[in-house]
């Protein structure tokens, strides 16, 4: 029997008690405890997916109704210690009366956020029939004309199922959302050490320098880093936070450095120069693990012999030779080889880029006092413990208890890869990578092709232009580019015109900078959205399919790693609220069946999930539960699925020799091994390929000189000057955005009464953060309406006067200002700042440049 809204609301007892903290809570959340009677309590172990911390949860039910959601104590020490407000109040996402419950079809051919779609409800069969007929036609003509986009949907069913569907269907256009989040940091890692994924070893760190990473609130490791950093500070670890806004980490830091937006790279370069000048570098590490000693020729490329081996200057034989046993490479200096002057990679960096980056020069650009830069350098030198080792669990290893760390703040820029590269290079200079107390790297050298010159294909195969000449290292997808290409495929040389888009659990247009073209592109295609709630993306669609929420569905759940633990988990249904039939998994299965590609889909599922022992079999039906069981059994070596249902996970701790010894130690140490790319020879090579491709193919809309700057083998001063800082220099303020834990861009939390009422006004809407001195100069007071104007538009919102932001900087959190007219007014409060943020994506990987815009602010 289907539960009615009244039945659901009558049973929400414990959650109602939370809601009672505010008299403004809507009536549907204020229910009494009598409805559930004396039924026994049931506990279900699962995983929260409101964000990508993937916190382990216990959902407690009485009478089939969720009473509370709490952290799972069994996973406390390998997972998360707590839950954020979204996770604790997650039941409201499932029991939400504003949820989508039936497939909807648009009857108004005009599309726009100001248009009424004139929805009509249709059956699932009609929805599948309509979608599959269009897909069949596209598959017969050109499968690439189908675009699948997922954002958070990756974490609801996993992107391996969509990737498998795309492979079976024949489209390369399966697009993830990484360029709205962390792509530039990932690619900075990729081109430097062959993969991505970093974690500061805070348990053993003495100095953590954080560049725009909100680990107390909204970072992707927040539910581990929050308590790990707090614990480390209690034992004496110092924290320096470098960012324009007084974030939660900055407020709790030992030093806040309010840097000018976009200028991190010169700040780090100045630190690097000071440490080199003071002799504070780890020469053995640089020689043994990195390519800093390799010789750079006059053409800016690493010098190689006829066999392609990179050359170093051997101080024993005074000759340019490959690094082999018995060779002692020079780390700095200029030498003559075949009549040409060559220099080591470190020498090039210092002479060509660092020499001019004095604390005074960097400070003027970054808006940071030169003495502050010197003080930070001294703190690094005092704590880094060059040349020392220590023991962890009896394992002796390099000890460098300093880590530089970032997430979006340092990398959401036009030169984001290079901003982060500057921090990676500084840490290489100090021997920090994979050291005790340093920065733990992911799978070092797992993708060595990332360190080589990119292919720069043209014409592009993918609608997001990833791996093409436009975004040569866009191997984490370039989600916001899809809309721009759809609007004008010929401009980018795309050899087809996209016809259909399927959006799965993503509110893509609201998530990116310069939202206008994002919405406009949806007028060009037939759109299907699979979503739990109505969103702006769904509003612009032709068919909307309701999805099961994370508390109602199965998934082989992703988990957020912590340094000393590894784990495998599932997500399982806790309730079935509205009796919905389908989720993303079953929708794909049904479409594959109707298109006659089910066997190909099953084979591709085995491939994308990397199944080795237990595999999906052709000709067999797999519901969501059965699919998760297959993946679980393969991943765990055949552990019973009943164990997964009972405990939700398996996991354990990691040995010190595995934690510290399997990265750079195993892959890069010594002669004949691959080296960390201190000098970005692969980047320099890509610049040459770009120039050649543009010339040979006649590409007209690509600025080769700009790409040469972006693909410089080493960070340089120019990387602190993104396009808006140059072209809009006369605008008085920098505009930045940031993330808070109270909202999801996909809008599934905007009608949540806990987040909108019980937590107070601060959580219900955002504001324009303005420094007190600035506010006085433009004649505005706290609470006044102000207008932010950039080169692409205007937005108006409430002013919040604060000392917690630079005087030359304006800050606005995103995830607010939604435009769904069918929603209650309280869910649409705040400012959609993305509408006025210029898009100048990172040239290398395509990440959104959400921290580069210049603006003016006036009283409204």
């Amino acid at each position: 029997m289907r539960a009615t809204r009244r039945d659901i609301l009558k049973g929400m007892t414990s959650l109602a008690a939370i809601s009672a903290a505010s008299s403004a809570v809507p009536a549907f959340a204020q229910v009494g405890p009598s409805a559930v009677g004396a039924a026994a309590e049931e506990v279900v172990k699962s995983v929260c997916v409101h964000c990508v911390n993937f916190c382990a949860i216990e959902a407690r039910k009485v009478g089939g109704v969720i009473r509370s959601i709490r952290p799972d104590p069994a996973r406390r020490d390998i997972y998360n210690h707590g839950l954020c407000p979204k996770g604790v109040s997650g039941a409201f996402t499932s029991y939400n009366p504003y949820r989508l419950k039936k497939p909807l079809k648009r009857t108004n051919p005009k599309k726009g956020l100001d248009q009424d779609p004139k929805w009509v409800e249709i059956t699932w069969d009609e929805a599948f029939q309509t979608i599959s007929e269009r897909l069949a036609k596209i598959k017969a003509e050109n499968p690439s004309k189908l675009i699948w986009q997922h954002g958070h949907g990756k974490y609801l069913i996993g992107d391996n199922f969509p990737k498998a569907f795309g492979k079976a269907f024949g489209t390369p256009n399966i697009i993830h959302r990484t360029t709205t989040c962390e792509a530039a940091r990932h690619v900075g890692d990729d081109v430097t050490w062959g993969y991505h994924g970093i974690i500061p070893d805070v348990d053993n760190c003495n100095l953590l320098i954080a560049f725009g990473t909100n680990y107390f609130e909204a970072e992707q490791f927040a539910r581990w880093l929050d308590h790990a950093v707090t614990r480390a500070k209690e034992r004496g670890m110092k924290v320096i936070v470098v960012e324009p806004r007084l974030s939660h980490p900055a407020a709790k830091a030992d030093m806040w450095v309010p840097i000018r937006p976009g200028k991190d790279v010169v700040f780090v370069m100045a630190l690097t120069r000071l440490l080199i000048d003071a002799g504070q570098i780890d020469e053995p590490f640089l020689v043994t693990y990195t390519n800093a000693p390799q010789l750079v020729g006059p053409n800016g490329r690493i010098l190689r012999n006829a066999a392609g081996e990179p050359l170093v200057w051997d101080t024993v034989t005074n000759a340019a030779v490959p690094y082999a046993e018995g060779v002692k490479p020079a780390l700095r200096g200029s030498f003559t080889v075949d009549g040409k002057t060559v220099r080591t990679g470190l020498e090039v960096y210092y002479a060509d880029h660092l020499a001019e980056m004095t604390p005074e020069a960097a400070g003027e650009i970054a808006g940071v006092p030169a003495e502050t830069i010197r003080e930070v350098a001294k703190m690094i030198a005092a704590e880094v413990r060059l040349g020392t080792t220590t023991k962890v669990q009896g394992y002796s290893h390099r000890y460098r208890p300093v880590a530089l760390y970032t997430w979006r703040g340092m990398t959401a820029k036009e030169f984001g890869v290079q901003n982060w590269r500057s921090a990676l290079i500084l840490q290489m200079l100090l021997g920090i990578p994979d050291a005790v107390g340093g920065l733990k790297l992911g799978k070092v050298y797992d993708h060595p092709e990332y360190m080589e010159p990119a292919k720069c294909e043209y014409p592009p195969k993918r609608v997001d232009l990833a791996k093409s000449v436009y975004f040569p290292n866009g191997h984490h997808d370039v989600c916001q580019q899809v809309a721009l290409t759809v609007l004008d495929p010929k401009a980018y040389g795309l050899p087809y015109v996209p016809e259909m888009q399927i959006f799965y659990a993503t509110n893509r247009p609201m998530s990116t900078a310069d939202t206008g073209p994002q919405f406009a592109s949806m007028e060009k295609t037939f759109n299907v959205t699979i979503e739990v709630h109505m969103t702006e993306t769904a509003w612009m669609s032709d068919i909307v399919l309701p999805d099961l929420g994370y508390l109602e569905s199965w998934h082989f759940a992703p988990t957020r790693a912590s340094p000393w633990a590894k784990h495998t988990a599932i997500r399982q249904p806790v309730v079935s609220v509205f009796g919905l039939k389908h989720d993303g998994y079953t929708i794909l299965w049904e479409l594959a069946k109707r298109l006659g590609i089910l066997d190909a889909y099953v084979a591709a599922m085995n491939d994308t999930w990397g199944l080795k022992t237990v595999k999906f079999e052709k000709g067999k039906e797999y519901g969501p539960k059965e699919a998760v069981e297959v993946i679980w059994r393969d991943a765990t070596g055949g552990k019973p699925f009943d164990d997964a249902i009972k405990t939700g996970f398996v996991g354990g701790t990691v040995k010190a020799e595995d934690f510290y010894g399997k990265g750079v130690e195993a892959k890069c140490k010594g002669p004949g091994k691959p080296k960390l790319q201190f000098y970005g020879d692969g980047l320099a090579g890509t610049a040459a390929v770009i120039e050649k491709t543009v010339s040979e193919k006649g590409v007209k809309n690509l600025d080769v000189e700009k790409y040469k700057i972006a693909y410089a083998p080493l960070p340089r001063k120019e990387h602190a000057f993104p396009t808006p800082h140059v072209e809009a220099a006369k605008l008085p303020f920098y505009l930045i955005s940031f993330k808070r834990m109270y909202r999801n861009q996909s809008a599934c939390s905007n009608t949540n009464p806990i987040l909108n009422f019980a937590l107070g006004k601060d959580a219900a809407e955002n504001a324009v953060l303005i420094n007190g001195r600035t506010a006085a100069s433009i004649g505005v007071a706290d609470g006044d309406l102000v207008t932010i104007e950039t080169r692409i538009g205007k937005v108006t919102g409430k002013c919040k006067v604060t000392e917690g932001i630079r005087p030359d900087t304006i800050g606005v959190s995103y995830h607010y200002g939604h435009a769904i007219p069918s929603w209650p007014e309280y869910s649409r409060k705040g400012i959609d700042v993305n509408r006025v943020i210029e898009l100048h994506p990172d040239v290398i990987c395509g990440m959104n440049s959400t921290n580069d815009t210049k603006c003016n602010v006036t009283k409204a």
Side-chain angles (χ1 to χ4, degrees):
M1 181 179 71
R2 175 173 290 184
T4 67
R5 173 178 169 177
R6 183 176 180 182
D7 292 333
I8 294 163
L9 300 177
K10 283 170 63 179
M12 299 175 64
T13 55
S14 290
L15 291 170
I18 300 172
S19 304
S22 172
S23 60
V25 177
F28 70 76
Q30 297 178 357
V31 294
S34 60
V36 294
E41 183 179 71
E42 179 184 357
V43 177
V44 181
K45 306 271 191 175
S46 195
V47 175
C48 180
V49 293
H50 269 298
C51 75
V52 291
N53 276 273
F54 312 123
C55 293
I57 60 173
E58 281 188 345
R60 295 174 178 267
K61 300 191 299 181
V62 177
V65 176
I66 298 176
R67 296 286 299 276
S68 68
I69 297 175
R70 308 173 185 174
D72 179 6
R75 287 180 264 190
R76 173 183 171 89
D77 293 328
I78 15 180
Y79 239 105
N80 55 291
H81 280 206
L83 295 176
C84 79
K86 289 199 304 287
V88 172
S89 62
F92 280 104
T93 303
S94 296
Y95 291 115
N96 193 328
Y98 292 99
R99 278 186 61 177
L100 294 166
K101 305 175 186 69
K102 292 183 179 180
L104 302 175
K105 180 174 70 175
R106 183 185 204 90
T107 60
N108 179 6
K110 292 184 178 181
K111 293 179 181 176
L113 295 180
D114 60 343
Q115 294 290 322
D116 181 356
K118 299 188 184 300
W119 300 116
V120 295
E121 293 182 355
I122 58 175
T123 64
W124 275 103
D125 186 66
E126 181 182 349
F128 282 129
Q129 186 67 19
T130 302
I131 296 168
S132 59
E133 285 177 358
R134 283 185 172 268
L135 288 175
K137 181 175 181 295
I138 289 172
K139 189 177 189 311
E141 293 175 354
N142 184 348
S144 295
K145 294 182 178 181
L146 169 67
I147 305 165
W148 170 286
Q149 297 204 57
H150 56 247
H152 203 68
K154 169 181 178 178
Y155 307 115
L156 291 171
I157 62 171
D159 61 352
N160 287 320
F161 289 121
K163 285 179 179 177
F165 183 85
K167 186 175 182 180
F169 186 83
T171 179
N173 293 316
I174 308 297
I175 316 295
H176 188 27
R177 63 93 180 96
T178 315
T179 46
T180 62
C181 187
E182 78 280 76
R185 197 197 76 171
H186 280 353
V187 173
D189 291 342
D190 290 339
V191 299
T192 302
W193 47 272
Y195 201 54
H196 55 271
I198 54 170
I199 305 176
D201 183 19
V202 292
D203 287 341
N204 300 291
C205 186
N206 290 339
L207 178 63
L208 176 66
I209 307 178
F211 292 82
T213 170
N214 197 346
Y215 49 74
F216 281 139
E217 188 172 7
E219 213 248 65
Q220 288 200 2
F221 288 92
R223 296 291 77 74
W224 160 69
L225 266 175
D226 55 0
H227 64 81
V229 169
T230 300
R231 184 175 61 240
K233 281 182 63 63
E234 288 173 349
R235 67 162 173 79
M237 183 183 77
K238 303 297 183 185
V239 175
I240 301 172
V241 170
V242 185
E243 61 173 299
R245 178 180 69 97
L246 188 67
S247 63
H248 290 296
K252 298 178 184 295
D254 298 277
M255 179 188 293
W256 171 41
V257 181
I259 194 169
R260 187 170 286 143
K263 313 302 183 182
D264 313 77
V265 61
V266 294
F267 177 85
V268 178
M269 289 172 67
L271 294 176
T272 304
R273 175 194 160 135
L274 287 170
L275 289 163
I276 292 175
D277 287 348
Q280 292 290 321
I281 62 173
D282 191 335
E283 293 191 11
F285 183 88
L286 288 167
V287 169
T288 306
Y289 298 86
T290 83
N291 73 345
Q294 291 177 6
L295 300 174
V296 180
N299 64 350
R301 299 297 306 279
I302 294 293
L303 196 66
R304 299 175 185 271
N305 62 14
E309 298 172 300
L311 303 181
V312 299
W313 188 261
D314 182 17
T315 58
V316 177
T317 61
N318 286 323
V321 298
Y323 181 27
E325 293 292 343
V327 171
K328 295 184 178 180
L331 186 56
R332 293 190 65 179
S334 297
F335 310 95
T336 301
V337 178
D338 295 334
K340 297 179 180 179
T341 300
V342 299
R343 297 177 293 169
T344 67
L346 177 56
E347 185 68 28
V348 172
Y349 193 29
Y350 191 92
D352 292 359
H353 305 296
L354 298 182
E356 65 173 327
M357 204 47 59
T358 63
E360 286 75 17
E364 183 177 352
I365 295 170
V368 176
E371 284 311 307
T372 299
I373 298 175
R374 289 190 174 90
E375 183 180 358
V376 173
K378 288 177 182 177
M379 292 175 70
I380 293 172
E383 293 292 353
V384 75
R385 314 291 175 88
L386 293 176
T388 65
T389 61
T390 191
K391 286 188 176 182
V392 179
Q393 299 174 359
Y395 178 73
S396 182
H397 192 59
R398 276 179 295 118
Y399 184 44
R400 305 289 184 276
V402 174
L404 280 67
Y405 182 66
T406 191
W407 196 266
R408 179 175 170 269
M410 197 178 190
T411 58
K413 299 178 171 72
E414 189 173 24
F415 300 114
V417 167
Q418 293 287 7
N419 269 259
W420 178 233
R421 279 261 303 153
S422 70
L424 288 173
I425 287 173
L426 174 55
Q427 292 180 96
M428 281 187 261
L429 279 162
L430 300 170
I432 287 171
D434 280 353
V436 176
L439 191 72
K440 178 69 180 71
L441 307 186
K443 299 177 181 178
V444 175
Y445 209 63
D446 193 63
H447 281 265
E449 71 274 14
Y450 291 161
M451 303 162 74
E452 300 295 327
K455 294 181 179 179
C456 307
E457 66 182 18
Y458 188 88
K461 296 183 178 69
R462 291 167 55 102
V463 71
D464 67 340
L465 311 183
K467 303 177 186 177
S468 76
V469 70
Y470 293 102
F471 298 110
N473 291 90
H475 41 260
H476 293 276
D477 303 354
V478 190
C479 65
Q480 79 284 345
Q481 178 60 39
V482 174
L484 306 182
T485 306
V486 167
L487 285 171
D488 193 357
K490 290 183 179 180
Y492 301 98
L494 195 74
Y496 55 89
V497 178
E499 293 183 4
M500 183 174 178
Q501 299 190 72
I502 302 177
F503 297 88
Y504 176 56
T506 180
N507 201 8
R508 179 70 74 241
M510 286 289 289
S511 304
T512 67
D514 192 7
T515 58
Q518 301 292 319
F519 286 114
S521 73
M522 296 187 71
E523 300 178 33
K524 298 281 189 179
T525 53
F526 184 88
N527 308 310
V528 176
T529 290
I530 306 167
E531 188 56 272
V532 177
H533 300 80
M534 182 60 67
T535 64
E536 287 82 1
T537 301
W539 197 259
M540 295 285 290
S541 295
D542 297 276
I543 289 182
V544 179
L545 303 179
D547 194 15
L548 291 172
Y550 77 100
L551 296 172
E552 302 170 303
S553 54
W554 290 94
H555 180 27
F556 180 76
T559 56
R560 182 57 62 198
S562 56
W564 291 98
K566 57 182 179 180
H567 29 76
T568 301
I570 68 163
R571 194 185 73 237
Q572 58 184 315
V574 180
V575 290
S576 176
V577 180
F578 296 104
L580 301 181
K581 296 175 62 175
H582 290 285
D583 68 353
Y585 171 83
T586 61
I587 289 170
L588 283 175
W589 187 270
E590 181 66 22
L591 290 175
K593 185 184 295 185
R594 290 182 181 235
L595 291 168
I597 59 172
L598 192 56
D599 283 351
Y601 179 43
V602 168
M605 284 160 51
N606 288 327
D607 181 51
T608 57
W609 280 102
L611 303 181
K612 294 179 174 57
T613 304
V614 184
K615 297 184 177 183
F616 294 102
E617 301 174 16
K618 294 179 181 179
K620 186 175 180 179
E621 287 284 329
Y622 290 94
K625 180 180 179 181
E626 291 76 20
V628 172
E629 181 173 2
V630 168
I631 303 167
W632 164 271
R633 290 175 56 219
D634 184 76
T636 61
K639 288 188 180 296
F641 195 56
D642 286 347
D643 291 353
I645 294 173
K646 182 179 179 181
T647 65
F649 86 113
V650 292
T653 57
V654 177
K655 294 180 179 179
E657 54 262 41
D658 293 332
F659 181 65
Y660 297 114
K662 289 190 173 181
V664 297
E665 296 299 321
K667 299 294 179 66
C668 304
K669 185 177 182 179
K673 294 287 187 72
K675 300 301 174 194
L676 302 177
Q677 297 291 289
F678 179 101
Y679 187 88
D681 191 56
L683 294 174
T686 300
V689 177
I690 292 169
E691 187 171 20
K692 181 181 179 182
T693 303
V694 168
S695 175
E696 292 180 350
K697 301 290 186 178
V699 181
K700 302 297 184 183
N701 58 346
L702 190 152
D703 185 345
V704 172
E705 293 307 311
K706 181 177 180 179
Y707 275 71
K708 286 181 179 179
I709 293 173
Y711 272 94
L714 293 161
R716 48 198 277 187
K717 181 175 69 175
E718 289 89 338
H719 297 143
F721 294 93
T723 296
H725 292 196
V726 176
E727 294 182 355
K730 292 184 179 179
L731 290 175
F733 302 113
Y734 298 88
L735 176 62
I736 63 169
S737 69
F738 55 93
K739 186 177 182 181
R740 309 169 86 202
M741 71 170 71
Y742 309 120
R743 285 286 186 271
N744 289 339
Q745 197 84 43
S746 61
C748 67
S749 56
N750 285 57
T751 52
N752 185 320
I754 298 298
L755 301 178
N756 281 287
F757 296 96
L759 297 183
K761 294 180 180 180
D762 179 62
E765 61 182 311
N766 59 354
V768 180
L769 301 184
I770 302 178
N771 181 275
R773 192 190 333 164
T774 302
S777 71
I778 62 176
V780 299
D782 197 66
D784 283 352
L785 289 179
V786 296
T787 296
I788 300 173
E789 182 174 8
T790 70
R791 296 192 295 174
I792 63 172
K794 301 177 181 180
V795 290
T796 297
K798 292 180 182 179
C799 167
K800 177 65 177 177
V801 178
T802 176
E803 296 306 308
I805 196 164
R806 285 180 57 93
D808 61 0
T809 302
I810 305 299
V812 184
S813 68
Y814 58 106
H815 292 27
Y816 288 84
H818 286 273
I820 304 299
S822 61
W823 278 3
E825 186 275 334
Y826 71 79
S827 67
R828 293 181 278 126
K829 288 184 177 181
I831 310 155
D832 175 18
V833 70
N834 283 344
R835 287 169 47 198
V836 298
I837 291 179
E838 294 187 33
L839 178 61
H840 300 278
D842 179 87
V843 180
I844 294 175
C845 74
M847 181 166 173
N848 270 231
S849 53
T850 53
N851 290 322
D852 286 345
T853 298
K854 294 295 294 292
C855 72
N856 193 17
V857 178
T858 56
K859 190 171 183 178

